[in-house]
Amino acid sequence: MSKNLVIVESPTKAKTISKILGDDFRVVSSMGHIIDLPAKKLGVDVEDKFKPTYVVIPGKKKILAQLKKEAKGKENIYIATDPDREGEAIGWQIKEKLFKGKNVLRVSFHEITPHAVAEAFKNAREFDRHMIEAQVGRRVLDRMVGYFLSPLLWKKIARGLSAGRVQSVGLRLIAERERQIQKFTASEYWEISAELFKPKVSGESNFCAKLEKIENQKAEIKRNQDAQSICDQLKDKEFKVLEIKKTEKKRYPPAPFITSTMQQEAFNKLRFNASKTMLIAQQLYEGIDIGEDNPVGLITYMRTDSPNVAAEAILEVREHIGRSFGKDFLPEKPNVFKAKKSAQEAHEAIRPSYICRSPESLKDFLNHDQIRLYELIYNRFLASQMKPAEFLATSVDILADKYLFVANGSHLLFEGFLAAYNKIQTEEKEEEEDEDKEKAKNVVPPLEQGELLGLKALNPSQHFTKPPPRFSDSSLIKALEEEGIGRPSTYAPIIYTIILRDYVRRIRGYLNPTELGFKVNDLLVEYFPKIIDVKFTALIEEKLDEVAEGTLSHVKILEDFYLPFKESLDFAQANIVKEVVTTDQLCDKCGKPLIVKWGRRGKFLSCSAFPECKNSKSITSGVKCGIENCGGELIERRSKRGFFYGCSNFPKCTFTSRDLPEDKE
Ligand SMILES: [Zn+2]
Ligand SMILES: [Zn+2]
C-alpha cells in the first residue's frame, strides 16, 4: 500500500500526476469544489468580521467520506490543487474539513511534467494564509452583492433574477456601448484614390495613391458632387513625385500568452468564445492520452497574468528555434517581457510543456479544437523568443496642382517571428494588421524625385463614419483588462454569466444587451452607482492583490465596502417600486388593459386587474414553430441554462431553438 495520499480537484489531473509519481503515491480527486457558502443563506456574519460559514455542497458528502477513508494509514497527505488563490482556498478547505490538526502539506506546480511535479514535492509547504484570505475576501464580497441585490431586482423587474459584482460592471460596459451605438448618426464622406504608373516603363507598374491634402489642408470631402468636381479638375493635371520617404521598421514579437491574451487571440483567430478557450486549455493542461505513456500534460497552467517563462523552457525553445528556423531567427539574448504591476511573479506564461511535441506530432491524439488551440499556444511561444520582423516602408508624396496624394507601400525585408506566428489564418483581422496588408499589396515601383507619372484612373469612393463596434469576447476582455477589472480566473465567467442570465446575447460573435439586460443595468446604475463603478471595482481588485501579498487584511476591505453598500441598499429597499409597462391591448376576459410583466421564464402580458383576473398571454416573436403542422409561434424563454426560443403550444409541443430561424415570412 502506498504511504502517501495526494488530493487534486479533477480525475484527469489525478491520472496524469499518478503516472508521474508512481506506486508510492495514491492520487485521488475531490471532483471539484466540495465546500462552499450555503446556497440559500447569506452564510456571512456581517456582525463578526464577515466570517463565512462553509457547508459541504449537497451531493458531495460521499466524496468527503471517500477521501477520509483514503487518508487512513497514510503517512503523508499532500494537496495539489491548482496553483492559484482558488486552488489554495479549495485545498485549505479540504484540510480544515477533513484533516484538521493533521500534517497536511501543500504542493503547487504550473505544469504537470515529471520535473515540475518532483520540484513541487521537494518544496512541499504550509498553506499560504494570505492567498486564502484574498480568495475568501473575493468570495464574501461577491456573495454579499449577489445576495442583497437580487431581491431588489425581483421587486422591480422579475423573480429569479440575479446580479453579481464584477459581472454587473461587464454588463454596464456592454449596455453603455449599445447606447452610444443607438445615439450615433453616420455621416457621409468620400475618398479619392489615383491609379498611377511610370510612363516610360514597359510592363506593369501600376500603383495606388490616396488624396490626403488639398492646399495643405486635410482633404475632407463630404458629398459626391464635390468628389466628382475634384476628379474633373484632376483629369488633365500633371502628377509629379514630390518626396520619397523610406523607413525601416521593426515589428517586435508578442509576449507568450497569458489568460487574457490567449482568450483574445483564440477569439480573433479561431472564433472560440472565452469559456470554450478555457475549457480546452484546461484539457491540455490536465493531460491528454497521446499513445505511449498516458496521459500527458501538454501546456502550463492556463490561469495566469504573468508572461514569465522558466529558464529551462527558454533554453529548450532557443535550441528548437535555432534548429528549425536557423540561427538568423534567434536573438542574441532571450526576449524578456514585463509583467503588469498586479501580476503574480511566481506564475508563468501559458506555453507548451514540451517544445519537442509539435502540433503535427499530436494530430492523431488531439481533437480538432484541441489541436487548433495547442497550435496557437505553441506558435505564439516560439514567436515570442524569435527576432523581430523587418519592413521597408515607402511613403511617396505626389503633387497634382493643389492636390497632394500619398502612396504607401511596405516591403518585408526579414520575416523574423512571423515565420512562426503567421501560419495560423486569422478569421477576423485587427485593424492595424489590415492596414499593413493593404500597404504590402500596393507595390510602389522605384521612383525619383521630380518624376512625372501617368494617370490611369481616378477612383472616388463613398464611405460613412461608423459607430463604435459592439464588444466581442475579445474586445470586452481587452477592455476589462485595461480597466483593471477581473483577473485570469474571472474573464470567462463574467461573459458566461451575463449570457446565461440573458442580460446579453452573443449574436454572430458580438455581445448585444437584451431589454432585460438594460433594465437590470439601469436599476443598478441608478441605485448602486458606486458598486458597479469601473474605477471602484478596479480598486477592489488591487486591494485583493494586496491581501494576497499580505499587506492588507481582507476584513478591512469588507468593512470599507459594507457600510456605504448598506446605505445604498437601505435607500433602494425603501424606494424601489415595481415598474408597470402598459400596452394598448385589452384583456379578452374582462376588458381591462394588459400590462407587460417579467416572470422567471421571460416577458409576458398580464391583465392589469390581477389578482382578480388571472388572464395572461405570451408575447410571441411572430415566427412559426419549427415543427410542421404545429401552428404554434416561437416565444422568448429563459431557463437556468440560459436563453432560448420555445413553442407557444408548450407543453403539447416541446420544440426549442437557440436562435430564431432566419426566414420570417
Ligand atoms: Zn382580465
Ligand atoms: Zn410547436
Side-chain angles (χ1 to χ4, degrees):
M1 202 175 112
S2 21
K3 292 182 296 200
N4 306 292
L5 180 69
V6 183
I7 300 172
V8 299
E9 63 276 74
S10 111
T12 322
K13 198 174 146 183
K15 223 170 128 191
T16 311
I17 293 172
S18 175
K19 195 202 74 199
I20 291 173
L21 289 174
D23 291 341
D24 283 345
F25 291 81
R26 166 98 177 124
V27 187
V28 294
S29 155
S30 73
M31 312 292 282
H33 278 271
I34 40 182
I35 288 143
D36 198 5
L37 294 172
K40 299 235 158 77
K41 278 187 286 183
L42 177 59
V44 174
D45 189 349
V46 293
E47 306 286 313
D48 184 15
K49 292 186 178 155
F50 302 90
K51 256 190 213 139
T53 309
Y54 290 104
V55 296
V56 177
I57 294 174
K60 291 293 177 84
K61 286 219 163 80
K62 225 169 130 187
I63 287 169
L64 224 59
Q66 267 168 13
L67 290 179
K68 226 172 188 161
K69 214 170 117 197
E70 291 280 2
K72 268 208 186 107
K74 295 285 191 298
E75 279 171 30
N76 308 297
I77 301 170
Y78 299 97
I79 292 186
T81 42
D82 284 342
D84 54 16
R85 289 176 203 170
E86 202 182 349
E88 197 81 13
I90 293 180
W92 173 71
Q93 285 160 0
I94 293 175
K95 176 188 149 112
E96 285 295 291
K97 199 84 200 173
L98 284 178
F99 311 118
K100 212 169 174 152
K102 277 197 193 165
N103 183 31
V104 178
L105 288 177
R106 169 87 169 117
V107 284
S108 77
F109 33 82
H110 294 100
E111 55 182 334
I112 310 174
T113 59
H115 177 72
V117 171
E119 279 296 306
F121 275 86
K122 237 187 270 167
N123 296 301
R125 57 171 171 82
E126 299 294 326
F127 279 86
D128 184 327
R129 188 166 53 85
H130 302 307
M131 273 174 90
I132 297 163
E133 267 188 22
Q135 183 63 23
V136 171
R138 173 187 298 282
R139 188 79 189 87
V140 169
L141 267 179
D142 290 351
R143 168 51 64 103
M144 291 199 299
V145 169
Y147 187 84
F148 289 123
L149 284 191
S150 301
L152 294 170
L153 297 178
W154 303 356
K155 201 169 161 190
K156 174 145 178 153
I157 308 166
R159 282 198 71 78
L161 299 180
S162 46
R165 188 175 59 89
V166 192
Q167 297 95 287
S168 298
V169 186
L171 173 62
R172 182 182 196 170
L173 294 179
I174 294 168
E176 280 174 358
R177 177 61 61 87
E178 195 67 22
R179 292 226 159 98
Q180 283 174 7
I181 295 170
Q182 286 167 353
K183 266 196 296 193
F184 183 83
T185 39
S187 52
E188 182 184 357
Y189 67 93
W190 286 73
E191 286 182 349
I192 297 173
S193 79
E195 223 175 300
L196 302 166
F197 62 98
K198 280 169 83 88
K200 282 172 220 143
V201 179
S202 58
E204 272 295 308
S205 69
N206 289 358
F207 65 98
C208 278
K210 224 172 96 184
L211 176 61
E212 296 276 345
K213 285 182 178 172
I214 304 170
E215 276 179 292
N216 260 325
Q217 300 288 313
K218 190 173 182 283
E220 280 177 1
I221 310 164
K222 298 279 177 219
R223 295 173 309 169
N224 186 8
Q225 58 209 91
D226 298 340
Q228 290 307 333
S229 96
I230 291 171
C231 288
D232 287 344
Q233 284 180 52
L234 277 166
K235 248 181 239 158
D236 43 15
K237 294 287 184 299
E238 245 176 19
F239 282 75
K240 192 174 174 185
V241 176
L242 195 66
E243 200 189 350
I244 304 161
K245 284 168 271 183
K246 286 185 191 268
T247 38
E248 274 188 29
K249 282 188 183 164
K250 276 185 185 173
R251 199 161 134 199
Y252 289 89
F257 281 139
I258 56 177
T259 307
S260 58
T261 51
M262 175 178 72
Q263 289 171 342
Q264 289 169 49
E265 280 287 271
F267 180 86
N268 292 336
K269 294 207 151 123
L270 311 174
R271 282 281 157 179
F272 290 179
N273 66 51
S275 301
K276 178 173 176 173
T277 300
M278 291 312 275
L279 186 78
I280 299 168
Q282 185 165 355
Q283 293 163 356
L284 296 172
Y285 160 72
E286 290 194 341
I288 287 182
D289 285 354
I290 56 165
E292 353 106 66
D293 22 44
N294 290 319
V296 174
L298 293 174
I299 62 166
T300 50
Y301 189 51
M302 64 281 164
R303 291 194 194 97
T304 174
D305 49 9
S306 165
N308 291 346
V309 176
E312 313 89 75
I314 295 265
L315 281 179
E316 278 179 34
V317 74
R318 282 176 62 83
E319 203 202 339
H320 181 88
I321 293 166
R323 220 179 323 113
S324 311
F325 294 88
K327 289 270 176 286
D328 290 347
F329 288 80
L330 196 64
E332 225 169 274
K333 274 188 265 167
N335 296 331
V336 179
F337 300 92
K338 249 187 134 161
K340 268 204 303 278
K341 193 186 75 180
S342 65
Q344 292 158 38
E345 288 300 318
H347 279 186
E348 258 209 75
I350 304 166
R351 57 164 174 84
S353 293
Y354 307 93
I355 205 72
C356 58
R357 296 202 195 277
S358 69
E360 291 77 43
S361 73
L362 295 170
K363 276 218 157 97
D364 291 342
F365 306 106
L366 271 55
N367 66 34
H368 187 60
D369 287 343
Q370 288 168 341
I371 196 83
R372 292 213 296 164
L373 186 63
Y374 182 74
E375 195 173 29
L376 196 65
I377 294 167
Y378 189 94
N379 290 342
R380 173 82 166 212
F381 180 54
L382 281 184
S384 73
Q385 285 301 329
M386 289 168 78
K387 274 195 180 167
E390 287 167 33
F391 298 88
L392 182 65
T394 315
S395 163
V396 185
D397 288 357
I398 297 156
L399 199 63
D401 193 29
K402 59 184 176 181
Y403 300 102
L404 179 77
F405 285 79
V406 178
N408 279 310
S410 158
H411 173 66
L412 185 67
L413 297 173
F414 175 63
E415 220 183 351
F417 76 93
L418 293 173
Y421 202 54
N422 250 13
K423 278 190 206 151
I424 297 160
Q425 202 54 45
T426 309
E427 285 187 34
E428 192 198 36
K429 294 143 213 141
E430 307 244 328
E431 236 163 72
E432 198 184 320
E433 271 178 50
D434 244 1
E435 225 172 80
D436 279 350
K437 284 219 174 105
E438 210 173 280
K439 279 183 199 168
K441 260 192 282 168
N442 196 22
V443 183
V444 183
L447 297 168
E448 267 169 51
Q449 207 173 325
E451 187 174 351
L452 290 181
L453 298 165
L455 175 67
K456 194 168 177 224
L458 284 163
N459 303 314
S461 56
Q462 186 187 33
H463 301 270
F464 293 92
T465 54
K466 288 201 181 77
R470 289 201 175 88
F471 284 113
S472 63
D473 280 48
S474 169
S475 57
L476 185 68
I477 290 164
K478 196 170 174 195
L480 291 170
E481 190 181 26
E482 277 167 5
E483 299 282 5
I485 304 164
R487 288 296 178 261
S489 59
T490 59
Y491 300 125
I494 288 172
I495 301 175
Y496 174 81
T497 309
I498 52 182
I499 289 178
L500 188 71
R501 292 179 181 155
D502 196 31
Y503 298 163
V504 167
R505 287 180 201 164
R506 197 189 273 118
I507 301 170
R508 281 183 284 278
Y510 292 93
L511 302 168
N512 296 248
T514 60
E515 190 188 348
L516 183 61
F518 272 126
K519 276 180 183 296
V520 169
N521 182 59
D522 290 347
L523 181 150
L524 296 178
V525 170
E526 187 181 346
Y527 290 97
F528 301 94
K530 187 157 182 204
I531 302 302
I532 61 165
D533 177 71
V534 170
K535 291 221 161 61
F536 178 71
T537 308
L539 188 71
I540 291 212
E541 292 296 335
E542 267 177 44
K543 286 185 173 174
L544 287 171
D545 289 340
E546 287 174 35
V547 174
E549 281 153 25
T551 53
L552 186 70
S553 122
H554 77 287
V555 177
K556 176 88 172 74
I557 298 183
L558 293 168
E559 280 169 357
D560 289 352
F561 179 87
Y562 186 66
L563 225 64
F565 177 54
K566 184 81 176 44
E567 266 173 34
S568 310
L569 259 180
D570 293 343
F571 179 80
Q573 259 151 1
N575 289 282
I576 281 182
V577 283
K578 187 116 198 157
E579 162 182 71
V580 176
V581 182
T582 52
T583 69
D584 48 13
Q585 297 187 55
L586 297 178
C587 174
D588 49 18
K589 294 225 170 98
C590 74
K592 298 248 169 64
L594 292 175
I595 56 171
V596 178
K597 274 191 182 169
W598 291 80
R600 265 177 200 284
R601 310 218 274 126
K603 204 164 70 161
F604 64 98
L605 293 174
S606 159
C607 181
S608 54
F610 184 86
E612 285 85 55
C613 172
K614 292 196 168 62
N615 192 20
S616 70
K617 262 169 81 174
S618 314
I619 301 173
T620 88
S621 62
V623 176
K624 290 237 149 44
C625 166
I627 305 288
E628 232 176 295
N629 301 327
C630 163
E633 286 183 352
L634 296 181
I635 297 171
E636 295 194 1
R637 296 269 189 222
R638 290 187 306 121
S639 79
K640 277 196 173 150
R641 275 173 293 154
F643 161 80
F644 67 99
Y645 287 96
C647 179
S648 56
N649 286 342
F650 182 83
K652 227 166 65 196
C653 172
T654 55
F655 178 82
T656 61
S657 168
R658 281 269 159 206
D659 11 54
L660 220 47
E662 286 287 325
D663 180 22
K664 288 195 175 89
E665 289 310 302

